[in-house]
Amino acid sequence: MFFKKKRKIDYDLDMTNIPKHIAFIMDGNGRWAKKRKMPRTYGHHEGTKTIRTLALEANRLGVKAMTVYAFSTENFKRDASEVEYIFKLPKEFFNLYLKELMDNDVQIRYIGHLEMAPIETQKIIKDAIAQTAQNHGLILTFAFIYGGRDEIIEATKDICEQYKNGHITLEDITEDYFERHLMTKDLPPVDLMVRSSGECRLSNFLLWQLAYAEFVFDETLWPDFDEERLHHAIAIYQGRERRFGGVLK
Ligand code: FPP
């Protein structure tokens, strides 16, 4: 009988310096499927398993928040059949894993324009959020129909309304105030952003929030991204000196 050899995780992580918030650009599902002569949708299907694996491991390591880029405002440019398939994935994902995520105290949230998704998709995601609202473990946020520029424009419009109505003065508009108008207002700052598949772009993801995050670009295609790659990314993060614009001590 053959057993799949489990890769050894041998990074000596500093448990006192685990990033509080890790954001993932889940890239490479299509290429992963193509290599196997399968349709792109099969790659997305397999990619959802990676979300579960990483959420459980991040939670175990004590990461507070994990945000995954599941669908961008630009992804509507894809074939209608692929878009339709991605919109069905939350149902499959939560049917398979919600109980396990509950058992591990994981909270589900989303950022983005969920109202643009089919009603059934909206309902599935909102149900998962409601069921996990009292949990205190990892906050797993799905960026779903999300765009960073759009988020900044929405926040700006909110703030302009406040100003127009005389509720605030120009001096009130600080970075802190602006941040409180972003969709991520209840999440800790992003410490680490990981993009799989070797592409080195932000693709309109968390543009404000990534200002001081550390970036790790990993060659692994998303369905193959596993606990070992997560540990590797955290090890790289721990090897970096974060200065937030200051100087080396
Ligand atoms: C990028 O790979 C991936 C996406 C645009 C979709 C990712 C979505 C999921 C993994 C599932 C979402 C799940 C839930 C539960 C909402 P790509 O298609 O751009 O890959 P390629 O660059 O190789 O073509």
Side-chain angles (χ1 to χ4, degrees):
M1 188 183 280
F2 294 97
F3 291 98
K4 198 176 165 197
K5 194 168 163 230
K6 214 169 164 33
R7 275 202 279 175
K8 190 167 166 273
I9 299 178
D10 53 6
Y11 302 101
D12 198 8
L13 294 185
D14 171 359
M15 297 309 285
T16 66
N17 185 23
I18 294 292
K20 284 196 176 62
H21 187 171
I22 309 181
F24 288 99
I25 301 183
M26 311 186 283
D27 200 8
N29 292 342
R31 277 163 284 165
W32 185 92
K34 197 172 169 204
K35 270 168 72 180
R36 288 159 181 79
K37 303 195 175 4
M38 296 292 280
R40 296 176 51 78
T41 48
Y42 181 61
H44 297 317
H45 172 267
E46 290 298 300
T48 57
K49 296 181 185 170
T50 303
I51 303 175
R52 171 216 170 242
T53 304
L54 298 186
L56 293 177
E57 183 62 6
N59 192 37
R60 197 185 68 78
L61 291 172
V63 175
K64 302 281 171 237
M66 168 172 154
T67 300
V68 291
Y69 204 7
F71 194 88
S72 74
T73 42
E74 290 73 30
N75 286 153
F76 278 113
K77 292 180 198 151
R78 296 183 176 212
D79 272 5
S81 59
E82 184 173 341
V83 171
E84 211 175 290
Y85 185 86
I86 294 176
F87 282 163
K88 287 188 180 138
L89 285 175
K91 183 173 182 181
E92 183 181 309
F93 180 82
F94 291 121
N95 277 346
L96 284 171
Y97 307 128
L98 187 58
K99 183 174 179 314
E100 191 182 25
L101 294 171
M102 272 301 282
D103 292 346
N104 283 277
D105 215 18
V106 172
Q107 282 180 65
I108 304 297
R109 298 196 195 161
Y110 81 88
I111 53 172
H113 288 284
L114 191 56
E115 75 282 0
M116 289 169 76
I119 296 289
E120 204 200 353
T121 310
Q122 294 184 35
K123 191 179 165 326
I124 296 282
I125 295 178
K126 285 181 184 165
D127 281 355
I129 291 169
Q131 283 190 56
T132 59
Q134 305 306 321
N135 291 350
H136 291 97
L138 178 86
I139 301 170
L140 172 59
T141 302
F142 288 88
F144 202 66
I145 318 185
Y146 170 86
R149 288 182 175 175
D150 166 77
E151 181 187 28
I152 291 171
I153 289 174
E154 294 282 318
T156 307
K157 283 184 185 165
D158 269 6
I159 294 170
C160 288
E161 274 300 312
Q162 299 296 318
Y163 180 71
K164 197 172 81 184
N165 297 332
H167 298 314
I168 56 165
T169 65
L170 281 184
E171 286 65 42
D172 290 322
I173 307 174
T174 60
E175 289 190 10
D176 275 355
Y177 185 83
F178 197 90
E179 250 165 28
R180 277 184 265 130
H181 289 77
L182 294 172
M183 295 168 180
T184 50
K185 60 180 180 294
D186 299 319
L187 296 174
V190 181
D191 296 311
L192 171 62
M193 190 288 299
V194 181
R195 183 172 188 147
S196 57
S197 91
E199 305 289 344
C200 303
R201 307 184 274 282
L202 285 186
S203 302
N204 203 13
F205 188 43
L206 299 175
L207 295 181
W208 173 287
Q209 297 86 342
L210 295 180
Y212 282 104
E214 294 297 327
F215 292 177
V216 171
F217 297 100
D218 189 300
E219 296 284 325
T220 313
L221 301 177
W222 182 251
D224 289 333
F225 203 97
D226 58 9
E227 294 99 329
E228 190 266 343
R229 294 327 287 165
L230 172 65
H231 283 235
H232 180 253
I234 295 176
I236 294 175
Y237 166 85
Q238 292 185 341
R240 301 238 177 107
E241 176 111 24
R242 300 187 79 196
R243 298 202 294 277
F244 299 97
V247 287
L248 263 178
K249 294 241 171 66

